């Protein structure tokens, strides 16, 4: 074992000496020392130049539209309705109460007559009023088939025109197919109650002509007639009382005259 170790060390030493001679012949030691002695050149950093931001405009590749202004495809939201504060007084009969079936049927019958007189030049539909339409949340849902066929596909400002020509701006929600902002003012201003029936006639893409059929007109007229009959009865009673008093006065005068003669 000792001999093998000595032979290995001798062989290793011989290889080192041979490698050293080869490096001297190739001048590798001098080249390495020269490279270590020379300092590495310092690179000068170039100053950074910032580009000015340019407006992004679509490239006009066609000469037909080169002279025309650029088109903006940005979606603009619908402007919210301005809420005008008003002071309303709920004096109309039936507000806050549920209409009877007779009053509701009477209003629907009158609304159907109004709708039949409008003709078929403009599309229309009939909408009976319930409590959620005229109080509380003041939300008016429209017929889905009518909205899909005739009304805009996105949110839009709709104008409601009553029979007197007064206009009210309301907000139409296309996804929910109903009127939200502005409907409260129309409902309160026209004193709508549960049981009334409305006819909506679409005279333009964003304008409704609204006709109102009241649920309590017939009962109000009956009450007026009853009041007239009561007043007439009171007048008859008063006239009878006056005639009786005149007759008694005549009898008293005659008795007093007889007593004086006797």
């Amino acid at each position: 074992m000792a001999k093998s170790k000595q032979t290995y060390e001798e062989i290793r030493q011989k290889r080192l000496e041979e490698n050293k001679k080869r490096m001297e012949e190739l001048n590798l030691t001098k080249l390495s020392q020269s490279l270590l002695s020379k300092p590495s050149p310092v690179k000068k950093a170039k100053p950074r130049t910032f580009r000015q931001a340019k407006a992004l405009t679509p490239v006009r590749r066609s000469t037909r539209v080169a002279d025309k202004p650029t088109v903006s495809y940005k979606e603009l939201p619908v402007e919210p309705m301005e809420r005008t504060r008003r002071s309303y007084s709920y004096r109309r009969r039936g507000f806050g109460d549920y209409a009877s079936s007779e009053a509701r049927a009477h209003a629907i019958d009158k609304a159907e007559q109004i709708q039949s007189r409008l003709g078929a030049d403009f599309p229309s539909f009939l909408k009976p009023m319930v409590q959620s339409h005229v109080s509380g949340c003041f939300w008016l849902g429209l017929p889905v088939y009518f909205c899909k066929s005739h009304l805009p596909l996105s949110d839009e400002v709709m104008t409601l025109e009553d029979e007197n020509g007064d206009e009210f701006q309301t907000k139409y929600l296309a996804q929910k197919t109903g009127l939200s902002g502005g409907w409260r003012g129309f409902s309160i201003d026209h004193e709508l109650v549960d049981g009334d029936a409305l006819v909506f006639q679409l005279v333009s893409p964003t304008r409704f002509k609204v006709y109102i059929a009241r649920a309590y007109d017939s009962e109000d007229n009956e009450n007026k007639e009853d009041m007239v009959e009561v007043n007439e009865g009171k007048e008859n009673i008063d006239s009878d009382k006056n005639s009786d008093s005149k007759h008694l006065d005549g009898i008293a005068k005659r008795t007093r005259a007889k007593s004086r003669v006797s």
Side-chain angles (χ1 to χ4, degrees), residues 115 118 122-127 140-143 145-152 156-173 177-179 183 186 190 198-211:
Q115 189 178 16
L118 296 178
F122 299 100
S124 62
F125 65 90
L126 189 150
K127 185 67 178 180
L140 181 66
L142 305 181
Y145 73 91
F146 190 91
C147 298
K148 299 296 183 183
S149 303
H150 305 288
L151 296 185
E156 191 62 64
V157 176
M158 304 289 293
T159 302
L160 303 183
E161 181 183 352
D162 61 9
E163 300 177 43
N164 297 326
D166 297 332
E167 298 180 354
F168 295 80
Q169 302 295 323
T170 60
K171 189 173 182 179
Y172 169 68
L173 302 180
T177 62
L179 300 180
W183 167 251
F186 182 90
H190 292 83
L198 274 62
V199 178
F200 290 82
Q201 185 184 27
L202 188 66
V203 296
S204 71
T206 58
R207 177 180 289 270
F208 276 116
K209 182 76 174 179
V210 184
Y211 301 88

Side-chain angles (χ1 to χ4, degrees), residues 36-227:
L36 292 173
S37 61
K38 290 182 180 180
S40 60
V42 179
K43 294 183 180 180
K44 294 182 179 180
K46 295 181 180 180
R48 297 181 64 181
T49 57
F50 298 94
R51 295 181 181 180
Q52 295 181 354
K54 296 182 180 179
L56 298 177
T57 56
V59 180
R60 295 299 182 94
R61 301 186 183 278
S62 176
T63 56
R64 293 179 300 174
V65 294
D67 299 335
K68 296 182 180 180
T70 57
V71 181
S72 177
Y73 296 98
K74 184 178 180 181
E75 295 183 359
L76 298 176
V78 179
E79 296 181 357
M81 298 295 300
E82 294 182 359
R83 296 184 178 180
T84 57
R85 295 185 178 180
R86 304 177 184 177
S87 58
Y88 299 99
S89 59
Y90 301 97
R91 296 181 180 177
R92 189 171 186 271
R93 179 186 175 187
F95 180 80
D97 300 331
Y98 290 94
S100 62
S101 57
E102 292 80 6
R104 196 180 301 275
H106 173 72
I108 292 175
D109 183 58
K110 288 200 302 181
E112 289 176 349
Q113 295 177 7
I114 294 172
Q115 189 178 16
S116 64
R117 291 195 297 267
L118 296 178
D121 295 336
F122 299 100
S124 62
F125 65 90
L126 189 150
K127 185 67 178 180
M129 295 292 101
V130 297
Q131 285 292 346
S132 61
H133 299 155
V134 298
S135 63
C137 61
F138 287 96
W139 163 258
L140 181 66
L142 305 181
V144 177
Y145 73 91
F146 190 91
C147 298
K148 299 296 183 183
S149 303
H150 305 288
L151 296 185
L153 300 177
S154 59
D155 296 353
E156 191 62 64
V157 176
M158 304 289 293
T159 302
L160 303 183
E161 181 183 352
D162 61 9
E163 300 177 43
N164 297 326
D166 297 332
E167 298 180 354
F168 295 80
Q169 302 295 323
T170 60
K171 189 173 182 179
Y172 169 68
L173 302 180
Q175 295 296 328
K176 296 183 179 180
T177 62
L179 300 180
S180 178
W183 167 251
R184 179 179 183 274
F186 182 90
S187 175
I188 296 177
D189 192 77
H190 292 83
E191 297 181 345
L192 300 180
V193 297
D194 180 68
D196 291 343
L198 274 62
V199 178
F200 290 82
Q201 185 184 27
L202 188 66
V203 296
S204 71
T206 58
R207 177 180 289 270
F208 276 116
K209 182 76 174 179
V210 184
Y211 301 88
I212 302 173
R214 303 290 183 182
Y216 292 100
D217 285 349
S218 60
E219 296 182 10
D220 292 341
N221 293 332
E222 290 177 0
N223 291 336
K224 290 180 181 178
E225 292 177 358
D226 294 340
M227 290 298 295

